[in-house]
Amino acid sequence: QVHLVASGGGLVQAGGSPRLSCAASGFFSNYAVAWSRQAPGKERELVAAMSRKGDTIYIADSVTGRFTISRDNAENTVYLQMNSLKPEDTGIYFCAVRLSPYNSDLVYKGPHDYNTWGQGTRVTVSS
């Protein structure tokens, strides 16, 4: 099984640029990965995703131009670089892996497309 541990969250000022990390046990280089977030009283939103080979990246409209996703297969880690943070970016951020035996290089844009999730790390953006 794959175990995910997210880190890098905390209290940051608006305009800050933290980087979230998600370390995975075992190999995850053959799987698509993603980040989602959930704010109090709001529906969970997938904000960034990467295809299995990394050839395709999806960034949600709400964070496009500010967030980017990357991965380091040698370290079994996926990153979410967040720039120009706004108070509305506050929430719990979760990383995810889509465990699949297939070799397609598609990008998956929905939270339900992923079947393995980490516990999440909280990001609080102050004005």
Side-chain angles (χ1 to χ4, degrees):
Q1 63 180 13
V2 176
H3 180 63
L4 304 174
V5 179
S7 62
L11 177 63
V12 298
Q13 291 183 314
S17 301
R19 185 180 71 168
L20 304 184
S21 299
C22 181
S25 63
F27 297 110
F28 86 132
S29 61
N30 291 329
Y31 306 115
V33 296
W35 285 92
S36 67
R37 68 183 182 185
Q38 188 164 24
K42 295 185 178 181
E43 185 177 335
R44 181 176 293 195
E45 173 191 28
L46 190 142
V47 296
M50 177 178 287
S51 63
R52 180 176 63 84
K53 295 182 179 180
D55 293 330
T56 306
I57 295 174
Y58 164 78
I59 305 294
D61 290 342
S62 59
V63 300
T64 187
R66 299 188 297 118
F67 289 14
T68 189
I69 185 172
S70 62
R71 70 196 300 170
D72 187 329
N73 290 334
E75 297 183 359
N76 286 332
T77 303
V78 59
Y79 302 97
L80 182 68
Q81 177 65 59
M82 304 185 292
N83 298 316
S84 302
L85 281 182
K86 305 174 182 179
E88 51 263 42
D89 294 320
T90 293
I92 302 175
Y93 285 73
F94 303 87
C95 61
V97 174
R98 177 182 170 87
L99 297 179
S100 173
Y102 304 107
N103 295 319
S104 61
D105 195 33
L106 302 175
V107 64
Y108 300 90
K109 305 176 181 180
H112 290 167
D113 292 323
Y114 300 85
N115 48 29
T116 303
W117 293 87
Q119 296 185 57
T121 183
R122 184 181 298 274
V123 175
T124 302
V125 184
S126 62
S127 300

